[in-house]
Amino acid sequence: MSQQHELESMTPEEKRALLAQLLDGSAEATPSNLSLEQRRLWLLLQLDDSKPWQVSAAARLTGDVSPAAMQQALTAVVQRHEVLRATFREVDGHPLATTTPAVTLRLPVVETEDLAKVVADEVRTRFDLTKGPLVRASLLKRSDDHVLLLTLHQMVADRRSAKLLVDEVLTKYTELVDGTAGDVIATPVDFHSLVTAQREWVNGDDAAKDVDYWRDQLAAVTALELPTDRPRPPLKTIHGDSVTVEVPLSNVSSDVLLSAYIAVLSRYSQQRDLAVGVPVPASWHEDGANLVGPLENMVPLRVEVSDDDSLERLAAQVGAIHAEALTHARLSFDRIVEAAQPQRDLSRTPLFQVFFAYEEETHELLDLPTTWTPHDIDLYAVRRNGKLTLRAQYNTDLFDQSTIERFLGHVLLVLQADVAQPLAEIPLLTQAERERVVVDWNATDIEYEPATLHQLVEEAAATNPKGIALAGGDEELTYEQLDNRANALAAELVARGITTESRVGVLVDRTVHSVVGLLAVLKAGGAYVPLDPSYPADRLAFIVGDAGIELFVGLRKAIDTLPQEVAGTDRITIPTTDQQAAKPEVSVNTGDLAYVIYTSGSTGRPKGVAVEHRAIVASTKARGTLEGSGLPERYLVLAPLTFDAAGGGLYWTLSRAGTVVFPTESEVLDPRLLGRLIRTRELTHVDGVPSQYAVLLETDLEARDSVKTTVVAGEALPPSLVADHYRVSPNAALYNEYGPTEASVWATVHPVSRQDANLPRVPIGRPVPGAKVYLLDKRFNPVPPGVPGELYIGGDGVARGYVNRAAMTAERFLPNPFGVGRLYRTGDLARYQADGTIEFLGRADTQVKIRGFRIELSEIENVVLRHPLVAEAVVTVREDQPGVPRLIAYVVPVIGRVLTQETLINHVIGQVPDYMVPSTFVTLEKMPLTKHGKVDTKSLPAPEVIIASGFVEPANELEAGIAETFASVLGLQHISATADFFSLGGNSLLVARLAAQLSRENDIELPIDEVFRVPTVQGIARVVETHQRERNDVDSAALYAQQVAELVADVKLDPSIKPDGLPKADWFDPKNVLVTGATGYLGVFIAVELVKRTNATVHCLVRGESADVAWDRLEETMRKYRAWDESYRGRIKVVTGDLAKPYLGLPKEEFDRYCELFDSVYHSGAIVNFTYPYEAMKAANVLGTEELLRLCTRKTLKAFHLVSSVDVFMGTGAERPFTEQDLSMRPVKVPTGYPRTKWVAEHITVIARDRGIPVTVQRPWMITGHTKTGASHDTDYLYVYLRGFLDLGVLPLYNDVINAVPVDYTAEAIVYTSLREENLGKNFNITNREPTTMQQCYQWLRSFGYDLNVVAEEEARRQALEVDEDHILYPLTPLLRVASMRHAALDPELQKQVDPLDECRVLLAALEGSGIECPPVNEAWAHSCFQFLVDNGYLPAPQDVVRQ
Amino acid sequence: MGIDDADTIFQVVVNEEDQYSIWFADRTLPEGWTADGTTGTKQECLQHIEKVWTDMRPRSVRERVNS
């Protein structure tokens, strides 16, 4: 590896990876004159120069000291050891050691009293490896002694070497001072011969054997999990300090010291199999002990501690292990790591995290202050001048000094105990400490009146009868209602024979009625057994039998759906209407059974915890301690009533006359709804499982200001949640509760502070009033602070026991040797902090908690094992994704049989509640075992959740995004688009997270039940689409309203434009008419028609710089369309003006003159462009209309004929038939561009009409060629289109209807109708009663001679969109780009359903008797049109079209 | 001689409410408990209890119900 130059180009990540590799010790040696250790260090140095990488040693000298002699001694010693004269540099990518023949090492004399500061300075002062010398020395002169301090770089010396050197210098000094000179010290072997020997050995057989030895020895070694005071940093740190204690014993061997250390480590970690590192002196040469250099090796000693071991026995065992290890200790530590292949973990050192060294010192060496330390704890036992001390160097990021002091105290206790006493029996407490732990920390007695549980509620009801006791969904019950209904039901229960000790199954849900049921049972003197009617029938039947349930109480619906299996049990419905009833006369004692709650049982069957009134009353009374945060005014009970956790908030609130609020099922599932409930009900207390609360904080982002107190319980409270809580709700108190059902809801509580977020685990606090908590070891000895013990609970809340389980009750409810009554053995591990606060550390057995549900893994295992094809089963909790624990079942089938996941799930599903069904079943050939023959749970494979076959890739971006969210929530890599969220390990908590995330990402409100309904990526994608569409609809409605408002805003007419009192012009026999748009296609023919049908002079509004130019344009246009006749010359005049300008761009007096002159106005002028925006045409088309109407209402009242367009329909998405009524003010589609101008103009005309101005609205359809001349509009959309596609050599295949109306008919119709009084105020659609189709048109094109290449519409469109700027189709490309060329209204199928008459009835009636008729279009007409276009050069002649 | 060791010897004990339990055979009885005379491994003691403790109601409750 030539790493040096590569290192410089490495990213920080790559460097970290290489660093990890090197820390694990796998640096391969390459030819170099460095030893293996030097080589490894060299690379480490390149990667991480933040560590000091140096070692110091010091000795204290009393009496007179000669600095000169000391300097001389130092020089001699440095000269003796070649390695001290080495420097290192990189040559060609390789580190190379260079040894200088001589170095001068100065020995400064420093006067100081502050050794710590000197050492700290030493650490800060770094060596330059290329310069050397890599050793520094100083003589510190203190007031009453001297200190010789040597500091060396680790490339040249290890800790042992440093001490050796100090020793040598002092020996030499003594010689010099005493004059006993002579070569007493043998010349050491040369360091480089050692390097060579090392190299040879490493490649030999012995090394290979050692590799095998360590691989075996360290198989599956686990990290030492010492309980730390602070969270372990993810990247290991080296910050250190030390604590030293004297051992008041003589004659204690190093093996005994090490064994005592191991015994205490085992007690602290609760691990029996652990590894401790020990140093190995260099053993390459006979006199290797005198060699200086980085030689010291370390090996792990793996020790198994048994409960029966005495210190004596353990020491013998440790001694043997140590001796054996030393025979394999030539293999360097990095090679051992490589051989053992431990799980890589950058937060810890590999293989061992604690270290032990025993040192005997000849000279009085000084303990220098510790500034850094490599491991979690390094214990140095040092014998010096006959005194033995223990010096523990510890990582200050993990431990407090007090913890280490206590730890050393415990080591001393073990050392001082009888060496033959079993280690587990050595109490680690003094009498005073024991008193504090057992008595002082359990001083929890409180006084209260004994009462029954229902009495507490009855008393509250009496004080606050009208207050709301319960609320849930839409229902509420006052205390009076609750009490009366419960009384009535109780009376009925009594009548049915329910009495003391009778068990009544109450079918509970999340409605207020359930509590009526519970309370009624208590009032009747019986005990309730809360049951979830959705339990599997088997489980329900078991509980009914086990508890001896005599009667069911429930809502009608729940009772009716009870399974067949429990048909034999009687049932009563809970009253849901108000009752008037007195409390039945029943005497209930506080020792009577109040309820039985079933929890997971290890035998495969649930077990019923029997709780007496006195216990739950004590538990409820104890809640007074929480009152600092206010009374429970409105308390949210999140836990189902089948769990005792619900009883805390329920009874506390009901005993204090507050309101208990139950969430609905959907509110429980969807944290956003829950948040809403909290806000609308203004809840003051919220109580739930931490994971539930975490999801609430994560997904419900609005403040919940009403909440004064949040209580979490049921599982470990992650410190991060504490931080989140205080960030979101800085003013709400947070309580962490702990307590099993067997201790009646709670046993300890911790008021959580903000600072607790910085702890590795949030404490569970101290015993609640009336409760006693003992942390005991296996011998029933209380454990001292810091040492884990099993948690036992005594006091008032302890339950009666397990129903029908005498042995189990006797085993778990033990005599209390510290007081009275019984102790419940929880099976939980905990430890005290120094002040008595308790920290929960986990389970001592296989019980787990998932989402607050207490689960015995063995219960599930037993259920799985009942399947006839299952030979072995192990159920574990895996947290492959942090924070998402999942139940995984590992199954070995009976030999030769195959089991599918489906089979197993179906087998389990009917027998355990949903939350106990493993999310994945993994089939194994055999279980992995430890060397002790137990199932090696750590070696169980991670479940392979990707189903190899049937993997469906996401189909689109939406699905891919959703799949990604699924994967991140589930902690998986790939998700099939069809895979079920729940079969992949999803649960209701993860669903909440999923829904929240998907909602955020897709910007929709995704209800949780949708996820339950369609729990696949595909399914959710459909839901998201639907929601987005709906939202779009809402959005578009808003958009539509806004657009319509904008559109309509332009529909306005100057109020001064009105007919009031004006003389009427001659509308029906006009002398002068004005025509606009006469240089357009239709305008030409209107003008001509007016000439023909009237005697009027036809004035045409034409733009032009002069009248002559304007006339020329007009005449030219008329000629072009073969409409000109010389006879028209006198009849037609031009008005040079501009529609787009006020007063038509005419001088005021001229405008006024025209106002007097004209009789009527034909307004066909407009800018016609399908690609221009509305604004570009508004002036001419809209404002021009207003100006003309102004003209019509000046001087005289003139008739106004607006030539509108079929586009007022086409452009507004109007439905066929297009009728001749006024246009709606709310078009289906808001028109844009040209159609919009016509739509607005029409509405303006209607305003004018409604003011009394005589108008007609003429709506031409598709104006096509003249029936006589074929004159066609060369710039018409259709022709441009035709011409363009003919040029491309293709025609798009489509079959729209073409309602072609010859221009002559159109003009005739307009003029004819305009001249009749009865038509004023009417709208006319000028259509063809016999429309044709595009296909027909293509036919005519073919018969005309064009060789057509009809291609798919999409292809034609594609080609059209690629045309160059100068192509005739280019102006149409914006249209083609945004829309299909088809128009829905022109669908031939639709045409069949429309009666063409419906679209032109008014016109046809008006034309009746006129002889004006629309001729059907035919081939001859079409050909004449094509010919016109060819003749005018607008279309290529058929023979000129080259087929491409 | 830990509580979970297979060879630890226990004694069967009973309190004023006729509730059964087990206790280390070599230790003094906690206050309020008397030995019923049975000793053995935990398993043996629990088996004995399973046999004799058939009415698990506390004595006070039992007596009141029966009276």
Side-chain angles (χ1 to χ4, degrees):
Chain A
M1 284 195 287
S2 152
Q3 251 134 351
Q4 177 59 56
H5 55 280
E6 289 167 18
L7 284 173
E8 278 152 21
S9 59
M10 278 182 169
T11 65
E13 289 73 30
E14 287 168 334
K15 278 188 184 171
R16 263 199 293 280
L18 179 60
L19 180 62
Q21 190 188 345
L22 291 165
L23 285 170
D24 285 7
S26 48
E28 195 53 53
T30 50
S32 157
N33 61 350
L34 269 62
S35 74
L36 295 180
E37 180 60 14
Q38 283 176 324
R39 168 90 201 159
R40 193 172 78 93
L41 273 167
W42 171 265
L43 285 171
L44 281 170
L45 283 163
Q46 313 305 311
L47 287 164
D48 183 1
D49 56 5
S50 65
K51 293 199 176 91
W53 303 114
Q54 56 194 27
V55 58
S56 294
R60 181 167 168 263
L61 303 148
T62 49
D64 286 340
V65 171
S66 156
M70 194 64 83
Q71 171 75 68
Q72 204 182 337
L74 179 68
T75 307
V77 169
V78 170
Q79 197 56 38
R80 242 168 69 80
H81 297 282
E82 188 188 86
V83 71
L84 298 183
R85 287 176 273 124
T87 57
F88 302 86
R89 69 193 71 240
E90 188 218 313
V91 179
D92 196 19
H94 295 291
L96 200 73
T98 317
T99 312
T100 44
V103 290
T104 316
L105 186 64
R106 292 255 306 109
L107 179 70
V109 179
V110 183
E111 280 192 43
T112 182
E113 296 300 325
D114 192 348
L115 186 61
K117 185 183 174 302
V118 173
V119 171
D121 287 346
E122 274 297 326
V123 170
R124 269 195 297 276
T125 316
R126 300 297 167 89
F127 290 101
D128 181 347
L129 278 177
T130 61
K131 293 228 173 71
L134 298 178
V135 51
R136 282 194 297 268
S138 50
L139 187 62
L140 311 180
K141 188 173 185 308
R142 304 200 289 192
S143 54
D144 49 6
D145 61 4
H146 285 77
V147 172
L148 172 69
L149 175 64
L150 286 189
T151 300
L152 300 102
H153 196 281
Q154 284 189 313
M155 285 291 278
V156 298
D158 52 24
R159 183 185 147 85
R160 185 197 54 89
S161 304
K163 290 191 167 196
L164 185 71
L165 285 172
V166 170
D167 215 38
E168 277 191 20
V169 173
L170 293 184
T171 305
K172 187 77 189 168
Y173 172 79
T174 311
E175 284 171 12
L176 290 170
V177 173
D178 296 355
T180 55
D183 281 330
V184 194
I185 311 167
T187 308
V189 291
D190 141 40
F191 183 75
H192 286 287
S193 71
L194 176 137
V195 170
T196 315
Q198 238 183 12
R199 261 177 218 297
E200 279 169 13
W201 183 86
V202 157
N203 296 318
D205 287 349
D206 285 351
K209 278 182 201 153
D210 282 356
V211 166
D212 289 344
Y213 171 82
W214 288 112
R215 186 182 295 130
D216 286 353
Q217 190 64 25
L218 298 171
V221 68
T222 51
L224 188 69
E225 300 278 1
L226 291 172
T228 60
D229 294 308
R230 273 171 292 286
R232 183 174 289 273
L235 213 64
K236 200 187 144 13
T237 64
I238 56 166
H239 306 124
D241 203 345
S242 59
V243 174
T244 306
V245 293
E246 197 172 319
V247 182
L249 295 169
S250 51
N251 289 332
V252 51
S253 74
S254 77
D255 285 340
V256 168
L257 290 166
L258 173 55
S259 298
Y261 180 45
I262 289 172
V264 176
L265 287 171
S266 169
R267 286 275 274 265
Y268 270 67
S269 66
Q270 295 287 298
Q271 283 167 269
R272 292 174 176 208
D273 176 5
L274 50 94
V276 181
V278 292
V280 182
S283 54
W284 296 97
H285 285 268
E286 292 296 307
D287 59 350
N290 290 329
L291 193 60
V292 168
L295 299 167
E296 197 173 68
N297 197 15
M298 303 178 294
V299 292
L301 301 185
R302 187 172 185 186
V303 182
E304 228 170 301
V305 187
S306 142
D307 262 1
D308 298 333
D309 280 341
S310 61
L311 190 60
E312 212 168 30
R313 263 166 65 181
L314 185 62
Q317 191 196 341
V318 165
I321 292 170
H322 197 169
E324 187 182 276
L326 290 183
T327 64
H328 299 278
R330 277 196 163 190
L331 197 67
S332 62
F333 178 65
D334 51 308
R335 296 295 304 273
I336 296 175
V337 173
E338 204 179 312
Q341 297 268 329
Q343 196 91 36
R344 180 163 298 169
D345 176 358
L346 290 184
S347 69
R348 293 178 167 84
T349 44
L351 297 184
F352 60 82
Q353 296 77 41
V354 291
F355 183 83
F356 174 84
Y358 176 79
E359 291 167 352
E360 291 197 19
E361 286 168 1
T362 45
H363 287 95
E364 194 179 347
L365 293 189
L366 259 186
D367 287 329
L368 296 172
T370 303
T371 49
W372 64 286
T373 189
H375 305 106
D376 289 2
I377 301 176
D378 290 30
L379 185 67
Y380 292 97
V382 182
R383 194 178 291 282
R384 183 183 292 159
N385 292 340
K387 272 202 313 195
L388 181 63
T389 58
L390 293 179
R391 175 180 162 91
Q393 258 178 232
Y394 63 95
N395 185 306
T396 49
D397 289 321
L398 300 177
F399 304 108
D400 287 337
Q401 181 172 329
S402 58
T403 302
I404 298 301
E405 281 167 354
R406 254 198 325 270
F407 177 88
L408 285 178
H410 293 143
V411 175
L412 290 181
L413 263 175
V414 170
L415 284 170
Q416 287 167 301
D418 178 359
V419 289
Q421 189 183 6
L423 288 166
E425 278 177 19
I426 301 173
L428 296 179
L429 286 173
T430 63
Q431 193 51 43
E433 284 172 330
R434 186 185 156 98
E435 188 74 7
R436 189 164 47 132
V437 167
V438 168
V439 180
D440 298 353
W441 288 347
N442 276 318
T444 58
D445 296 343
I446 50 165
E447 290 288 322
Y448 58 89
E449 279 294 305
T452 59
L453 183 54
H454 51 282
Q455 209 179 323
L456 298 183
V457 184
E458 286 162 358
E459 281 164 11
T463 63
N464 189 18
K466 301 295 179 198
I468 304 297
L470 301 157
D474 302 331
E475 295 170 306
E476 288 184 346
L477 282 187
T478 63
Y479 273 91
E480 201 169 40
Q481 287 174 307
L482 168 66
D483 202 38
N484 280 330
R485 291 186 192 187
N487 283 343
L489 181 56
E492 215 177 324
L493 291 168
V494 171
R496 298 270 194 125
I498 296 304
T499 178
T500 311
E501 300 290 304
S502 301
R503 286 90 196 259
V504 179
V506 180
L507 304 169
V508 293
D509 54 18
R510 294 188 185 274
T511 65
V512 296
H513 310 295
S514 296
V515 181
V516 174
L518 303 182
L519 207 54
V521 175
L522 297 175
K523 283 168 179 271
Y528 65 79
V529 186
L531 298 169
D532 181 343
S534 72
Y535 278 159
D538 279 0
R539 190 179 179 87
L540 210 52
F542 169 80
I543 293 174
V544 168
D546 187 55
I549 287 175
E550 299 170 29
L551 197 65
F552 285 120
V553 161
L555 290 178
R556 167 62 52 204
K557 197 178 66 196
I559 281 181
D560 289 349
T561 52
L562 278 172
Q564 193 54 37
E565 283 84 344
V566 295
T569 310
D570 217 357
R571 47 203 71 184
I572 299 181
T573 49
I574 296 173
T576 53
T577 54
D578 285 339
Q579 314 280 321
Q580 276 302 330
K583 185 184 166 193
E585 287 302 319
V586 175
S587 128
V588 185
N589 276 13
T590 60
D592 291 351
L593 196 59
Y595 59 78
V596 177
I597 281 181
Y598 276 78
T599 70
S600 176
S602 56
T603 57
R605 292 293 188 194
K607 54 182 192 272
V609 181
V611 176
E612 295 166 356
H613 281 266
R614 68 165 135 244
I616 180 66
V617 167
S619 163
T620 303
K621 290 285 184 187
R623 291 211 170 252
T625 52
L626 279 185
E627 279 172 25
S629 60
L631 288 175
E633 292 165 69
R634 287 170 299 279
Y635 198 115
L636 179 71
V637 172
L638 212 46
L641 291 171
T642 44
F643 289 82
D644 93 315
L650 177 70
Y651 292 118
W652 184 34
T653 308
L654 290 183
S655 69
R656 308 306 295 257
T659 304
V660 169
V661 177
F662 293 120
T664 61
E665 283 302 329
S666 29
E667 282 162 345
V668 170
L669 287 174
D670 193 335
R672 293 162 295 177
L673 296 181
L674 196 66
R676 219 168 287 166
L677 173 73
I678 292 169
R679 282 181 288 276
T680 48
R681 288 264 180 201
E682 297 188 302
L683 299 180
T684 57
H685 287 63
V686 174
D687 156 347
V689 179
S691 50
Q692 233 169 354
Y693 186 48
V695 176
L696 179 72
L697 288 181
E698 194 181 310
T699 53
D700 179 63
L701 303 176
E702 268 180 69
R704 291 168 294 273
D705 292 332
S706 59
V707 179
K708 294 176 187 158
T709 301
T710 302
V711 175
V712 289
E715 62 188 19
L717 167 59
S720 60
L721 187 56
V722 175
D724 290 346
H725 167 86
Y726 281 109
R727 189 170 38 74
V728 176
S729 310
N731 300 318
L734 180 65
Y735 289 90
N736 188 28
E737 284 186 16
Y738 163 84
T741 309
E742 288 87 341
S744 309
V745 188
W746 67 336
T748 72
V749 64
H750 178 66
V752 182
S753 72
R754 249 169 237 272
Q755 289 70 38
D756 291 340
N758 305 321
L759 298 174
R761 59 192 80 77
V762 182
I764 55 173
R766 294 162 179 276
V768 302
K772 314 279 175 193
V773 169
Y774 306 96
L775 305 186
L776 306 178
D777 65 18
K778 295 288 184 194
R779 315 275 159 156
F780 249 63
N781 292 314
V783 293
V787 178
E790 194 175 337
L791 198 152
Y792 289 73
I793 303 168
D796 303 335
V798 177
R800 185 189 281 181
Y802 299 113
V803 173
N804 293 335
R805 308 283 183 94
M808 190 188 283
T809 304
E811 186 185 10
R812 304 304 291 194
F813 293 84
L814 295 155
N816 180 1
F818 312 105
V820 293
R822 296 180 304 161
L823 288 184
Y824 170 65
R825 183 180 184 190
T826 63
D828 289 329
L829 288 177
R831 67 166 186 173
Y832 289 114
Q833 293 180 347
D835 66 352
T837 304
I838 300 165
E839 282 178 53
F840 177 84
L841 299 175
R843 280 297 293 176
D845 57 21
T846 65
Q847 191 192 90
V848 297
K849 282 219 171 173
I850 289 190
R851 287 174 285 139
F853 293 120
R854 170 170 152 180
I855 297 169
E856 287 282 357
L857 294 177
S858 48
E859 175 176 359
I860 309 172
E861 284 165 7
N862 281 318
V863 168
V864 175
L865 281 167
R866 279 190 218 139
H867 192 280
L869 296 186
V870 172
E872 290 176 71
V874 171
V875 178
T876 63
V877 176
R878 290 189 77 101
E879 213 171 307
D880 292 322
Q881 189 196 6
V884 186
R886 298 190 296 152
L887 282 172
I888 313 289
Y890 294 88
V891 171
V892 177
V894 172
I895 293 171
R897 305 305 292 265
V898 176
L899 279 163
T900 65
Q901 162 125 346
E902 204 184 351
T903 309
L904 289 163
I905 285 186
N906 286 336
H907 167 70
V908 173
I909 225 160
Q911 305 192 52
V912 294
D914 285 354
Y915 59 82
M916 285 174 68
V917 178
S919 58
T920 307
F921 287 83
V922 179
T923 311
L924 301 173
E925 272 181 36
K926 60 180 181 109
M927 288 290 169
L929 299 178
T930 63
K931 60 180 175 179
H932 306 292
K934 291 182 181 156
V935 175
D936 185 1
T937 47
K938 289 201 163 64
S939 305
L940 289 167
E944 185 70 44
V945 282
I946 310 152
I947 301 145
S949 62
F951 187 87
V952 179
E953 291 287 346
N956 51 41
E957 210 173 302
L958 176 63
E959 286 191 10
I962 294 170
E964 212 167 284
T965 311
F966 266 57
S968 82
V969 167
L970 289 167
L972 301 174
Q973 287 286 313
H974 302 286
I975 300 282
S976 167
T978 54
D980 186 301
F981 181 74
F982 298 98
S983 66
L984 293 175
N987 56 46
S988 57
L989 210 63
L990 293 181
V991 164
R993 190 169 289 160
L994 181 78
Q997 243 179 54
L998 288 173
S999 298
R1000 255 199 309 276
E1001 285 158 6
N1002 296 290
D1003 195 20
I1004 60 161
E1005 187 93 345
L1006 179 66
I1008 286 209
D1009 47 350
E1010 291 276 28
V1011 185
F1012 278 102
R1013 207 170 48 75
V1014 282
T1016 64
V1017 170
Q1018 274 182 355
I1020 304 244
R1022 296 299 89 75
V1023 173
V1024 169
E1025 276 167 2
T1026 308
H1027 278 263
Q1028 281 177 338
R1029 201 161 38 239
E1030 278 167 11
R1031 207 247 324 267
N1032 284 347
D1033 288 351
V1034 173
D1035 285 358
S1036 49
L1039 189 64
Y1040 173 83
Q1042 187 198 340
Q1043 287 178 341
V1044 168
E1046 283 171 14
L1047 173 72
V1048 170
D1050 277 353
V1051 177
K1052 59 184 183 211
L1053 185 64
D1054 185 342
S1056 71
I1057 298 173
K1058 52 189 182 191
D1060 305 1
L1062 287 171
K1064 291 177 186 171
D1066 198 346
W1067 307 328
F1068 309 118
D1069 187 13
K1071 302 292 173 297
N1072 290 285
V1073 297
L1074 177 68
V1075 175
T1076 67
T1079 51
Y1081 179 53
L1082 177 59
V1084 164
F1085 292 97
I1086 289 174
V1088 168
E1089 196 60 26
L1090 280 166
V1091 168
K1092 286 181 181 168
R1093 285 196 183 265
T1094 68
N1095 299 314
T1097 301
V1098 179
H1099 303 260
C1100 297
L1101 185 72
V1102 180
R1103 274 177 298 148
E1105 54 267 41
S1106 69
D1108 288 349
V1109 172
W1111 174 261
D1112 287 350
R1113 271 189 63 208
L1114 179 66
E1115 189 182 324
E1116 192 187 325
T1117 309
M1118 295 184 87
R1119 283 179 189 279
K1120 180 175 85 180
Y1121 289 125
R1122 298 177 183 171
W1124 177 249
D1125 190 286
E1126 226 18 70
S1127 65
Y1128 302 163
R1129 198 172 290 277
R1131 294 283 303 282
I1132 299 177
K1133 293 195 166 169
V1134 292
V1135 177
T1136 16
D1138 190 341
L1139 265 182
K1141 292 180 176 161
Y1143 300 103
L1144 306 175
L1146 299 171
K1148 183 74 169 55
E1149 53 284 10
E1150 201 178 336
F1151 184 79
D1152 284 346
R1153 194 160 54 79
Y1154 287 129
C1155 287
E1156 279 172 20
L1157 182 66
F1158 297 146
D1159 295 299
S1160 53
V1161 174
Y1162 291 81
H1163 179 34
S1164 79
I1167 302 173
V1168 184
N1169 187 302
F1170 285 91
T1171 57
Y1172 282 7
Y1174 168 77
E1175 293 303 327
M1177 296 177 280
K1178 179 179 167 183
N1181 299 7
V1182 175
L1183 302 181
T1185 302
E1186 188 174 30
E1187 289 310 295
L1188 289 170
L1189 284 166
R1190 191 185 309 282
L1191 180 80
C1192 290
T1193 52
R1194 287 268 174 114
K1195 312 284 183 188
T1196 64
L1197 181 61
K1198 305 160 196 73
F1200 181 75
H1201 307 288
L1202 175 74
V1203 179
S1204 182
S1205 166
V1206 68
D1207 286 307
V1208 296
F1209 300 115
M1210 301 288 282
T1212 57
E1215 279 189 38
R1216 301 281 302 269
F1218 301 149
T1219 71
E1220 288 160 297
Q1221 293 167 339
D1222 286 351
L1223 296 175
S1224 154
M1225 281 302 264
R1226 295 183 59 80
V1228 174
K1229 192 183 114 202
V1230 174
T1232 56
Y1234 172 74
R1236 182 179 183 132
T1237 64
K1238 299 310 278 189
W1239 190 94
V1240 174
E1242 240 198 79
H1243 276 289
I1244 290 176
T1245 306
V1246 169
I1247 297 177
R1249 180 192 72 192
D1250 293 347
R1251 287 188 190 166
I1253 301 168
V1255 304
T1256 67
V1257 173
Q1258 310 280 350
R1259 299 176 186 141
W1261 248 233
M1262 179 187 276
I1263 310 167
T1264 50
H1266 198 281
T1267 50
K1268 305 278 180 337
T1269 63
S1272 298
H1273 189 198
D1274 57 308
T1275 56
D1276 184 88
Y1277 174 77
L1278 180 69
Y1279 290 125
V1280 169
Y1281 167 93
L1282 200 59
R1283 188 176 151 197
F1285 278 110
L1286 281 173
D1287 188 55
L1288 285 178
V1290 297
L1291 278 172
L1293 171 68
Y1294 74 102
N1295 200 22
D1296 273 7
V1297 169
I1298 298 188
N1299 194 306
V1301 185
V1303 69
D1304 41 337
Y1305 170 73
T1306 305
E1308 283 170 21
I1310 292 170
V1311 173
Y1312 179 82
T1313 53
S1314 68
L1315 296 172
R1316 283 175 164 62
E1317 184 162 16
E1318 70 269 21
N1319 292 337
L1320 294 181
K1322 287 184 183 168
N1323 307 321
F1324 299 106
N1325 288 354
I1326 307 161
T1327 79
N1328 192 329
R1329 286 171 62 187
E1330 290 177 49
T1332 183
T1333 65
M1334 202 68 177
Q1335 288 298 298
Q1336 181 61 65
C1337 205
Y1338 286 180
Q1339 205 55 49
W1340 293 332
L1341 281 166
R1342 273 202 191 88
S1343 61
F1344 186 68
Y1346 290 113
D1347 185 8
L1348 300 182
N1349 179 20
V1350 180
V1351 300
E1353 184 192 341
E1354 199 43 50
E1355 170 61 17
R1357 189 159 115 170
R1358 191 189 60 75
Q1359 292 195 22
L1361 288 176
E1362 284 174 2
V1363 297
D1364 291 334
E1365 268 176 61
D1366 52 355
H1367 195 273
I1368 183 166
L1369 277 181
Y1370 186 76
L1372 295 183
T1373 51
L1375 270 181
L1376 292 169
R1377 189 167 285 122
V1378 298
S1380 158
M1381 290 176 278
R1382 288 171 195 282
H1383 197 292
L1386 301 181
D1387 185 72
E1389 288 306 310
L1390 179 61
Q1391 182 66 41
K1392 285 181 195 156
Q1393 296 161 28
V1394 175
D1395 181 353
L1397 267 179
D1398 287 345
E1399 300 193 318
C1400 57
R1401 219 174 271 284
V1402 179
L1403 177 67
L1404 294 188
L1407 291 179
E1408 208 167 299
S1410 69
I1412 300 169
E1413 267 185 60
C1414 184
V1417 291
N1418 55 28
E1419 189 173 40
W1421 164 81
H1423 283 186
S1424 76
C1425 295
F1426 300 150
Q1427 193 57 53
F1428 173 87
L1429 291 167
V1430 171
D1431 290 350
N1432 284 278
Y1434 303 129
L1435 275 184
Q1439 60 272 20
D1440 294 342
V1441 178
V1442 182
R1443 177 89 186 260
Q1444 289 174 359
Chain B
M1 295 314 232
I3 190 163
D4 293 325
D5 294 340
D7 53 356
T8 301
I9 300 303
F10 289 91
Q11 52 186 324
V12 173
V13 294
V14 65
N15 66 12
E16 292 104 332
E17 287 283 16
D18 286 349
Q19 289 170 317
Y20 284 78
S21 191
I22 53 172
W23 188 243
F24 299 95
D26 56 353
R27 299 196 195 182
T28 48
L29 286 176
E31 192 190 325
W33 296 82
T34 52
D36 96 328
T38 310
T39 57
T41 62
K42 190 198 275 188
Q43 218 40 51
E44 288 160 355
C45 289
L46 292 177
Q47 273 164 12
H48 170 77
I49 291 170
E50 189 74 36
K51 237 177 286 163
V52 299
W53 195 14
T54 49
D55 185 346
M56 291 181 70
R57 289 177 296 176
R59 181 209 288 246
S60 58
V61 173
R62 193 173 62 235
E63 284 173 352
R64 194 166 63 85
V65 169
N66 291 345
S67 65

